[in-house]
Amino acid sequence: MRSKENFLVFGSPDIGQPEIDEVVASMKAGWLGTGPKVARFEADMMAYKGISNAIALNSCTAALHLAMIAVGIEPGDEVITTPLTFCATVNAIIHAGGVPVLADVDPFTMNISIKEVEAKITSKTRAIVPVHFGGRSCEMFLLREIVKKYRLKMVEDCAHAIETEYHGQKAGSFGDLSAFSFYVTKNVVTGEGGMILTDNEEYACRLKVLALHGMSCDAWRRFSDEGYRHYLVTEAGYKYNMMDIQAAIGIHQLARVEENWNRRQQIWQIYNKALADTSLILPAAEEPDTRHAYHLYTILIDEEKTGVSRDEFLNRMNQKNIGTGVHYLSIPEHPYYQQRFGWKPQDTPNAMRIGRQTVSLPISAKLDDEDIYDVISAVTDIIN
Ligand SMILES: *Cc1c(COP(=O)(O)O)cnc(C)c1O
């Protein structure tokens, strides 16, 4: 049994000595803001994903916001996304002036349903924002066909999907732009942080401008020692750039991305095996020829089968000093969206049910074997 002092924090990051040393080196060098380490982190991400432009930012929320502006979302434009996502996906659409439209998820994969997407397309639809939920790739070939057929833009929310692949192609390379998160609980962390990747040079240049006050593309050279340059503001931009201190962490996190993925795959398989004969509903098997990023291990608690409600389960896990997550209460459960758009959870019933039954178990690469068995015995204890 875990002691109080030994609370297992959900999504706690695996920080190694190289990250610590690199941050200390940045502090000693005195170069804290955007600089050479950001450039290196961008280059490393481009190499890892095989995409030719990267703009490091201070969050994935910022990345999604700028992506919406870059693809030209204007007031009244409709953007289709999933109701089973973090609120930032939807808020980014709203901040760009767009109208979010929710297409329900597939009940097994928990990813946006292609049929539902097509049913939601109108003459005002401009873009689709698929989320590779939990690290499982959406059906990218079918989404790409829809995008082509209706002349839409696609922005992939890759917050869970650094390692994700679909038929040999990396997640983030299917859309016009893709947004990544390096928030503390994600697979690669910088504390707070995000990035946009794109193969489109024009988008990349505009995004750099937008990310730094709207100062002309060249202004980023301000962060080098090439001598003084005037900056010229060419549009009203934002303050979304990443710091070198953040990139210092990210560089070494990314270097261990595969090692950590291997560990999470192991944990995933241990959970699958240990929980197979319980009344829980476990994550769907992976689709052939895809690579799952194993970001979230989501179990579903159907009270009629488990004898305990989801919320009671969360409380009891907490009492056993094990942190869990809920990904996510469906977007229409939140009052803001109900009031603004008149949405009801019942409108997207699959996402509603998942949101009310789901629990994410800890799957950080930092967990040791004892942690994993503590989680398993806590879970089986509660549902038996
Ligand atoms: C975490 C997350 C975001 C936001 O990422 P931040 O870096 O915290 O802004 C967006 N979308 C999804 C699906 C996420 O999980």
Side-chain angles (χ1 to χ4, degrees):
M1 192 49 198
R2 280 193 164 252
S3 63
K4 272 260 175 290
E5 306 77 63
N6 217 352
F7 190 90
L8 202 162
V9 177
F10 178 84
S12 67
D14 167 51
I15 302 293
Q17 196 58 43
E19 284 93 317
I20 295 168
D21 293 343
E22 194 79 45
V23 169
V24 171
S26 286
M27 305 279 281
K28 285 190 171 157
W31 199 309
L32 311 184
T34 308
K37 285 180 188 173
V38 166
R40 184 172 148 206
F41 186 39
E42 289 172 338
D44 291 353
M45 269 294 281
M46 287 188 265
Y48 181 70
K49 299 298 284 191
I51 298 175
S52 56
N53 297 278
I55 302 97
L57 302 170
N58 57 18
S59 73
C60 179
T61 304
L64 290 164
H65 181 202
L66 293 190
M68 287 294 105
I69 297 172
V71 299
I73 298 306
E74 289 184 356
D77 288 349
E78 293 179 359
V79 179
I80 299 175
T81 191
T82 167
L84 198 67
T85 185
F86 187 54
C87 57
T89 317
V90 175
N91 291 347
I93 297 168
I94 296 170
H95 290 322
V99 179
V101 173
L102 302 180
D104 203 2
V105 297
D106 176 277
F108 300 102
T109 65
M110 305 188 185
N111 274 328
I112 199 163
S113 150
I114 303 301
K115 235 178 67 195
E116 294 292 326
V117 169
E118 252 195 308
K120 296 287 167 139
I121 289 174
T122 72
S123 59
K124 291 185 186 156
T125 309
R126 292 287 171 273
I128 307 180
V129 184
V131 176
H132 303 288
F133 182 84
R136 180 189 304 271
S137 177
C138 295
E139 294 175 90
M140 298 317 286
F141 291 159
L142 294 175
L143 279 175
R144 214 156 53 178
E145 269 175 35
I146 291 178
V147 162
K148 247 191 173 158
K149 184 169 160 192
Y150 297 96
R151 295 167 184 272
L152 308 175
K153 301 292 183 187
M154 176 152 62
V155 173
E156 296 177 66
D157 182 335
C158 290
H160 304 171
I162 290 208
E163 307 90 339
T164 302
E165 292 178 17
Y166 182 79
H167 296 265
Q169 192 178 331
K170 294 208 157 72
S173 64
F174 291 90
D176 297 279
L177 301 146
S178 54
F180 292 82
S181 175
F182 310 117
Y183 177 64
V184 279
T185 59
K186 303 288 158 78
N187 290 356
V188 165
V189 314
T190 61
E192 298 285 358
M195 199 177 283
I196 300 187
L197 297 183
T198 180
D199 277 320
N200 182 316
E201 298 284 336
E202 265 172 55
Y203 283 154
C205 188
R206 170 117 194 269
L207 286 162
K208 284 216 152 191
V209 172
L210 283 168
L212 198 67
H213 308 292
M215 288 164 15
S216 56
C217 222
D218 262 7
W220 286 70
R221 293 210 200 115
R222 212 156 65 92
F223 297 123
S224 77
D225 47 13
E226 283 171 32
Y228 190 84
R229 277 166 190 269
H230 290 291
Y231 61 82
L232 294 172
V233 175
T234 56
E235 62 180 310
Y238 301 87
K239 186 65 181 14
Y240 282 167
N241 54 312
M242 179 183 275
M243 299 171 73
D244 259 25
I245 293 189
Q246 295 167 295
I249 307 171
I251 288 163
H252 296 283
Q253 285 275 302
L254 191 57
R256 282 204 315 283
V257 66
E258 291 298 310
E259 193 184 312
N260 286 346
W261 178 87
N262 277 323
R263 177 59 178 161
R264 291 197 312 279
Q265 184 184 45
Q266 249 176 15
I267 300 170
W268 182 285
Q269 286 165 353
I270 296 170
Y271 283 156
N272 266 352
K273 216 166 166 188
L275 303 174
D277 296 326
T278 65
S279 53
L280 298 167
I281 298 158
L282 303 185
E286 279 155 60
E287 293 81 355
D289 206 9
T290 63
R291 185 186 203 215
H292 201 297
Y294 304 120
H295 176 59
L296 298 173
Y297 189 89
T298 56
I299 56 174
L300 296 179
I301 312 264
D302 179 350
E303 188 172 354
E304 288 185 5
K305 295 194 186 109
T306 54
V308 55
S309 74
R310 193 275 304 274
D311 287 359
E312 180 62 20
F313 180 89
L314 294 174
N315 283 334
R316 293 217 213 147
M317 287 294 278
N318 202 62
Q319 281 161 13
K320 289 172 183 291
N321 293 323
I322 291 173
T324 51
V326 171
H327 302 90
Y328 299 92
L329 273 185
S330 76
I331 291 289
E333 300 272 11
H334 299 286
Y336 176 77
Y337 308 109
Q338 292 174 359
Q339 283 154 23
R340 174 141 178 199
F341 302 110
W343 291 342
K344 293 186 292 297
Q346 291 76 10
D347 298 341
T348 45
N350 292 334
M352 175 184 74
R353 184 183 52 81
I354 292 166
R356 292 177 181 183
Q357 295 186 339
T358 192
V359 177
S360 300
L361 300 181
I363 192 171
S364 158
K366 195 180 164 184
L367 302 186
D368 61 25
D369 288 351
E370 203 185 315
D371 295 330
I372 300 165
Y373 291 109
D374 280 351
V375 173
I376 291 165
S377 71
V379 170
T380 50
D381 221 40
I382 294 167
I383 58 168
N384 285 333

